[in-house]
Amino acid sequence: MKSGEKVLLAHGGGGRLTEELIEEVFIPAFSNDTLNQLGDSARLPHAPPDYSIALTTDSYVVQPPFFPGGDIGRLAVCGTVNDLAMVGAQPKFLTCGMILEEGFTMDDLKRVVASMAEAAEQAGVNLVAGDTKVVPHGSADKIFINTSGVGWIPKGRTPDVKKIQAGDAIIISGTIGDHGTVVMATRENLGIHVELKSDTAPLNGLVEALFDGGVEVHAMRDPTRGGLAQTLCEMAKASGLHIDLKEDALPVRSEVTAIADILGLDILQIANEGKLVAFVPKRDAEKALRICQAQPLGCDAAIIGRVSDTGDSMVALQTRFGGNRIVEQPMGELLPRIC
Amino acid sequence: MKSGEKVLLAHGGGGRLTEELIEEVFIPAFSNDTLNQLGDSARLPHAPPDYSIALTTDSYVVQPPFFPGGDIGRLAVCGTVNDLAMVGAQPKFLTCGMILEEGFTMDDLKRVVASMAEAAEQAGVNLVAGDTKVVPHGSADKIFINTSGVGWIPKGRTPDVKKIQAGDAIIISGTIGDHGTVVMATRENLGIHVELKSDTAPLNGLVEALFDGGVEVHAMRDPTRGGLAQTLCEMAKASGLHIDLKEDALPVRSEVTAIADILGLDILQIANEGKLVAFVPKRDAEKALRICQAQPLGCDAAIIGRVSDTGDSMVALQTRFGGNRIVEQPMGELLPRIC
C-alpha cells in the first residue's frame, strides 16, 4: 500500500485486493494466533468454569471520524469494551466489521486501525475476527465500524438495575459531556481553541478496581448516547425508584459548559465515552469514591446523587440555585452521529 | 409505529424513540429471555465441555436490499450462520448492528426484521444483542447490517484447509452463481422474467448431516464474494495442492448462464449465499454426495473436481470442449455490494 493510495471497491470484493488489505493493513496491526488463522470463524478458548460469558455489539458512525482525543477506531474498541465491563465482564475478544466508502484514504484507514490496536492493547483484548466491505462513493460517509465483543464474568458479579435500592449512592467516574461536546465542536467547526478532548477510554480497569476493592456494585452503566439523563431515566424506570441529583456535585469542565451554552445543549444529555455511573450501597460510597479517584480514569469521580423510594420513577435535579427540575428522557434527535 | 412512518435520526439517538423502535420492532420479532433483558451485554450459557467455541462477524451492504429469494436481513443471518457452520460449529447466538439511513421506511425495516427472525428460526439461532444507528439522508444507502455469531463446535470436528490431501474429491452442494446473478439482474433492472432466486440459506443443517453421516470432511468453505474461483484459489494456495475442476460437472442453472453472458460475468466468480464446497477423501465422496442430495438444500449437489499434487497450487478447469484453462483469483472489482 503506497502513501496516497485510496480504498477501491475491489478492496471489499473478497478477491486479491481484499487479501492485500488484510495482509498489509489489518494483520500487522492486530496480529495474534487466533486472528492469523483467517478462517471463516475464530476459535476461542473456553471461559473458566467459574465465569459466565457476555456478548455485545455496537456500530460506530461518528462524524467526523477523527476528533481531539480519539477517532472512530478508538471509539469502536472502547465502546464495546465498556458495554462488556458494565455487566462486570472482563473483555477478552473483539470482532471488527468495517464499511468503507470508496475513496477513503489508505493513510486514514491505517490511522484508524493503529488507533484500534492501541486501544485494544490498553483494554487487554484481542481482535480475533474481521470483515471489510467497500461501498461506492456517496453510499456511505467515509467509515463505519461495528465491533462485537466477548467477555468473561467472574462468579458473583451480577450488577443489575433490579438490585438498585433506596439509599444507594450514585457515583460518576469523572467529568461529564466531554466526548459529545468535543465532537460537536469539531463538527460545527466552532474554531474555539480549547484543551478539551474526548474522554474515549476503556473502563474495564476501573471496574476491576471497584470489584477488587470489595465494593458491592448494585448496578453500572456507561452514559453514552443520550448522556447521563438517558441512563439515569432508564435506571429509575427499571428500578421503580426515584433519583435525586445535585447539580453542584456534577463534575463538568468549564469548556464543556461554555460550548454547551453556545450550542444550546443540555450537558446531562451529552454523550460520554469513558465514564461510568455506579449505584452502590451507602456504606460503600466513600470507599468506591476513593477507589475511583485513585485510578487515572477516575480522578474526577464524585458522588452525584442518591436513590429514594418516593413512589415515582423520576430523576430530579436539585439546581445550583436550590430549585428542583425533573430530568426528562431525551427524545434522541439532538446529537446525531455522536458515536 | 404507524404505516408510512419513516426512520428518523432520533431513532438512533439512544433516547425515547430508540426505546420505541426496540420495543415495537425488534423485541416482538426476536423475543427471547437473553435479548429481553436489554442489558449492555447479553449473558450466554457456557458451551458444554466437549465443545469448542467459534466467533465470527460480517457486515452486509447488498444493493438492492430486497431481491428475489431474499433480502439483506435473510442474508445477514444466513451469511454469519454459514461462516460458523464452515468451521464445523453449531450456530447458537447472533448479534445485530444496524446502520439505517434517515428516511428508510419503517415498513421496509419491519420486513427486513421479519426476514431475519424467520432465517434465525430456520437456522436455530437466537439473536441476543443488538444496536441501531441512524445517519442523515445521503450518509448511507438505506440499510447496512452487521451480524456477529457465536457457535459451538462438537469435539473432533476440525475441518481445516491444511487437511486437504491429494486425491480428495471436491463436492459443491448445489447450483452456482444464483445469488450474485439475481442481485445483479435486479440492480441492472434487466427486465428478464425469470424464476431465478437467490440461494441465500443457512447451511448448518447440511453440515450436521455430513458429520452425522460419518463423512471425514477435510475442509469446507462457502463460496460467497469472489465465488467458487476465489474460494478454490485460496484453498489451493493454502494447501499447496493443485485442483482440477470439470466444467461439465458444475451445476449451473440455464438462467444464470444466460444472464452471466449478458452481463459479461464469469460464473465461477459469482457469489453464492447458500452453497458449500467440501473436500472429502475419495472413499467418502459418494457417501457425502448422497447425504447432500438427500437434503433440500443439497439436491443439486455434485462432485466437481479433485485434488492432486502436481507441485503447483493452481486451479485448472477442464472445459466442456476438452480444453484447459487456469482459474484466476478475481481481483474483486466486478461485483460490488453483492452481499
Side-chain angles (χ1 to χ4, degrees), chain B residues 101-331:
Chain B
E101 184 186 15
E102 180 188 21
F104 190 65
T105 73
M106 210 52 87
D107 287 342
D108 278 349
L109 179 60
K110 285 181 188 165
R111 222 175 124 193
V112 168
V113 165
S115 172
M116 291 186 80
E118 188 190 313
E121 186 168 347
Q122 198 183 343
V125 292
N126 274 328
L127 196 144
V128 294
D131 173 59
T132 306
K133 296 291 188 314
V134 182
V135 296
H137 182 69
S139 293
D141 189 7
K142 297 185 182 74
I143 179 169
F144 300 147
I145 303 179
N146 176 283
T147 47
S148 297
V150 171
W152 296 347
I153 312 173
K155 197 176 175 179
R157 289 194 191 173
T158 51
D160 190 324
V161 282
K162 294 188 188 69
K163 287 190 172 176
I164 296 174
Q165 291 173 13
D168 277 2
I170 305 170
I171 296 176
I172 184 89
S173 64
T175 54
I176 61 170
D178 299 12
H179 173 74
T181 303
V182 86
V183 170
M184 288 304 285
T186 309
R187 190 189 305 171
E188 302 297 330
N189 211 351
L190 283 189
I192 302 168
H193 177 74
V194 287
E195 295 298 310
L196 189 63
K197 288 181 176 169
S198 164
D199 58 345
T200 305
L203 292 165
N204 50 325
L206 193 54
V207 169
E208 287 304 303
L210 285 170
F211 282 109
D212 284 352
V215 174
E216 188 188 336
V217 180
H218 284 164
M220 269 187 307
R221 296 288 295 276
D222 56 334
T224 57
R225 279 184 291 183
L228 201 57
Q230 173 65 25
T231 298
L232 293 181
C233 285
E234 279 180 26
M235 294 176 100
K237 191 173 153 195
S239 64
L241 295 168
H242 177 95
I243 289 174
D244 279 303
L245 288 183
K246 276 187 185 299
E247 189 174 27
D248 59 13
L250 291 171
V252 186
R253 292 185 201 279
S254 55
E255 304 96 310
V256 168
T257 307
I259 296 172
D261 276 353
I262 292 170
L263 296 172
L265 300 174
D266 178 350
I267 290 169
L268 287 175
Q269 298 193 7
I270 301 179
N272 311 276
E273 292 291 344
K275 298 293 152 45
L276 65 82
V277 55
F279 286 62
V280 303
K282 195 177 172 188
R283 64 176 181 281
D284 281 354
E286 286 300 327
K287 179 165 74 172
L289 185 65
R290 280 194 309 274
I291 290 171
C292 285
Q293 288 173 341
Q295 296 282 322
L297 290 176
C299 58
D300 294 317
I303 297 172
I304 57 172
R306 59 187 285 279
V307 178
S308 61
D309 190 359
T310 61
D312 66 31
S313 307
M314 313 276 263
V315 180
L317 180 76
Q318 188 186 331
T319 68
R320 197 165 281 120
F321 311 106
N324 260 289
R325 75 167 170 98
I326 299 303
V327 175
E328 301 272 2
Q329 183 181 4
M331 288 294 284

Side-chain angles (χ1 to χ4, degrees), chain A residues 47 58 65 71 108 167 175 179 252 313 318:
Chain A
D58 250 327
D71 58 42
D108 279 349
T175 54
H179 173 74
V252 186
S313 307
Q318 187 187 331

Side-chain angles (χ1 to χ4, degrees), chain A residues 12 16 19 40-44 46 51 53 55-56 58-59 83 131-133 148 157 225 230 329-330, chain B residues 12 14 16 19 40-44 46 51 53 55-56 58-59 83 131-133 148 157 225 329-330:
Chain A
R16 209 185 310 163
E19 262 182 33
D40 283 311
S41 300
R43 279 175 177 256
L44 306 185
H46 270 268
Y51 289 62
I53 300 158
L55 175 67
T56 192
D58 250 327
S59 295
D83 277 344
D131 173 59
T132 306
K133 295 291 188 314
S148 297
R157 288 194 192 174
R225 279 185 291 183
Q230 172 66 24
Q329 183 181 4
Chain B
R16 208 185 312 162
E19 262 182 35
D40 282 311
S41 299
R43 277 174 179 257
L44 306 186
H46 271 267
Y51 288 62
I53 299 158
L55 175 68
T56 192
D58 249 327
S59 295
D83 278 345
D131 173 59
T132 306
K133 296 291 188 314
S148 297
R157 289 194 191 173
R225 279 184 291 183
Q329 183 181 4

Side-chain angles (χ1 to χ4, degrees), chain A residues 193-339:
Chain A
H193 177 75
V194 289
E195 296 298 310
L196 190 62
K197 287 181 177 171
S198 165
D199 59 345
T200 305
L203 291 165
N204 50 324
L206 194 53
V207 170
E208 287 305 304
L210 285 169
F211 282 108
D212 284 352
V215 174
E216 188 188 335
V217 180
H218 284 165
M220 269 187 306
R221 296 288 294 275
D222 56 333
T224 57
R225 279 185 291 183
L228 202 56
Q230 172 66 24
T231 298
L232 293 180
C233 285
E234 279 179 26
M235 294 176 99
K237 190 174 154 194
S239 66
L241 296 168
H242 177 95
I243 290 174
D244 278 305
L245 288 183
K246 276 189 187 295
E247 189 174 26
D248 60 11
L250 292 171
V252 186
R253 292 183 200 281
S254 55
E255 303 97 309
V256 168
T257 307
I259 296 173
D261 277 352
I262 293 171
L263 296 172
L265 300 174
D266 177 351
I267 290 169
L268 287 175
Q269 298 193 7
I270 301 179
N272 310 276
E273 292 291 344
K275 298 294 152 43
L276 65 83
V277 55
F279 287 61
V280 303
K282 195 177 170 187
R283 66 175 179 283
D284 281 355
E286 286 299 328
K287 179 164 76 173
L289 185 65
R290 282 195 307 276
I291 290 171
C292 284
Q293 287 173 341
Q295 295 284 322
L297 290 177
C299 57
D300 295 316
I303 298 173
I304 57 171
R306 57 186 286 278
V307 178
S308 61
D309 189 359
T310 61
D312 66 30
S313 307
M314 313 276 263
V315 181
L317 181 76
Q318 187 187 331
T319 69
R320 197 164 282 122
F321 312 106
N324 260 288
R325 74 167 170 98
I326 299 303
V327 176
E328 302 271 4
Q329 183 181 4
M331 288 294 285
E333 74 274 37
L334 285 178
L335 297 167
R337 298 188 63 187
I338 210 68
C339 59

